[in-house]
Amino acid sequence: MTGSPVFDEAFREHLADLIAWRRDVRRFRGDPVPEETLKDCLALACLSPSVGNSQPWRFVRVADAARRAAVVANFSRCNEEAAERYPDERAAAYRRLKLEGLREAPVHLAVFCDEETQVGHGLGRATMPEMLRYSVVLAIHTFWLAARARGIGVGWVSILDPAPLSAILAVPAAWRLVAYLCVGHPQEEHADPELVRHDWQQRLAPESLLIER
Ligand SMILES: Cc1cc2c(cc1C)N(C[C@H](O)[C@H](O)[C@H](O)COP(=O)(O)O)c1[nH]c(=O)[nH]c(=O)c1N2
């Protein structure tokens, strides 16, 4: 990297487009994600901010068919349990939603937080230890935008039981699941969220989310 880059108006417009067009993707084409592209997105994700520069994110690529099948079974169980928690009409609407792309996505990334990392020497998290997990979420969002900028879709699946999933993936006991990401070329592009299009939840007005004190 040479001197500090110049972010002009054209760049700011493209960045706004990238942020606005980043979708949670649940439908994928079968074509593979180039290894170089995946590595570039992961490298950018690793530039994300983290409390005490602890970099607690751990990306586990799940390629093994038996492990993937176990993750799908985990999702299916949790998804049915989630549906049952809603009253009839909302439960019916819930069951119409597609909330994962596990069977179609060529790349599965389980993203964990290493809760026992000593990197960063505990700085910034004595009173709020959850800052480690928040740091992982930032890396996920960076990965999400980097992927979108390369025409790659990402879908976050959280309708999962984390404990058996960690056992399925045989990760260290100190690693806590933050996200299970489906990654691949999206089948379609949309300017608005699927949950908005399917009338599950509209977007809130940004001005309603800023409180002055
Ligand atoms: C922490 C967290 C967890 C989940 C999600 C997101 C985040 C941030 N999202 C995606 C979510 O539904 C989506 O971001 C919103 O509906 C907004 O749509 P866009 O992401 O703008 O397309 C998500 N989507 C889904 O289909 N299944 C899921 O389990 C989850 N879980």
Side-chain angles (χ1 to χ4, degrees), residues 11-172:
F11 173 85
R12 283 189 287 276
E13 282 172 22
H14 285 318
L15 178 61
D17 287 345
L18 175 63
I19 291 167
W21 278 84
R22 177 220 44 78
R23 288 285 69 80
D24 185 71
V25 175
R26 303 163 178 93
R27 293 168 184 78
F28 296 92
R29 299 197 321 255
D31 29 335
V33 175
E35 192 65 13
E36 191 74 19
T37 302
L38 192 61
K39 292 273 167 44
D40 287 350
C41 294
L42 288 169
L44 288 168
C46 290
L47 296 178
S48 299
S50 59
V51 63
N53 203 23
S54 52
Q55 306 152 74
W57 39 80
R58 305 293 180 263
F59 290 87
V60 177
R61 180 164 33 185
V62 185
D64 177 77
R67 285 193 159 122
R68 284 193 176 194
V71 171
V72 170
N74 184 312
F75 167 83
S76 300
R77 173 173 60 82
C78 294
N79 200 39
E80 186 46 37
E81 286 169 5
E84 284 161 11
R85 286 197 199 104
Y86 291 110
D88 293 354
E89 213 170 293
R90 183 56 81 166
Y94 181 89
R95 286 196 171 91
R96 286 194 294 271
L97 295 172
K98 179 171 175 38
L99 296 172
E100 48 72 38
L102 294 166
R103 295 163 184 83
E104 306 93 345
V107 175
H108 285 202
L109 289 177
V111 191
F112 291 86
C113 175
D114 179 351
E115 303 268 303
E116 290 180 3
T117 185
Q118 295 309 307
V119 175
H121 314 290
L123 187 145
R125 54 188 164 105
T127 54
M128 297 173 79
E130 64 273 25
M131 291 300 127
L132 274 181
R133 270 172 241 159
Y134 294 173
S135 302
V136 176
V137 173
L138 288 172
I140 291 165
H141 191 238
T142 304
F143 177 84
W144 212 332
L145 292 176
R148 182 64 189 88
R150 289 159 175 80
I152 299 296
V154 175
W156 185 325
V157 182
S158 58
I159 305 166
L160 294 164
D161 184 351
L165 198 136
S166 293
I168 292 163
L169 299 182
V171 295

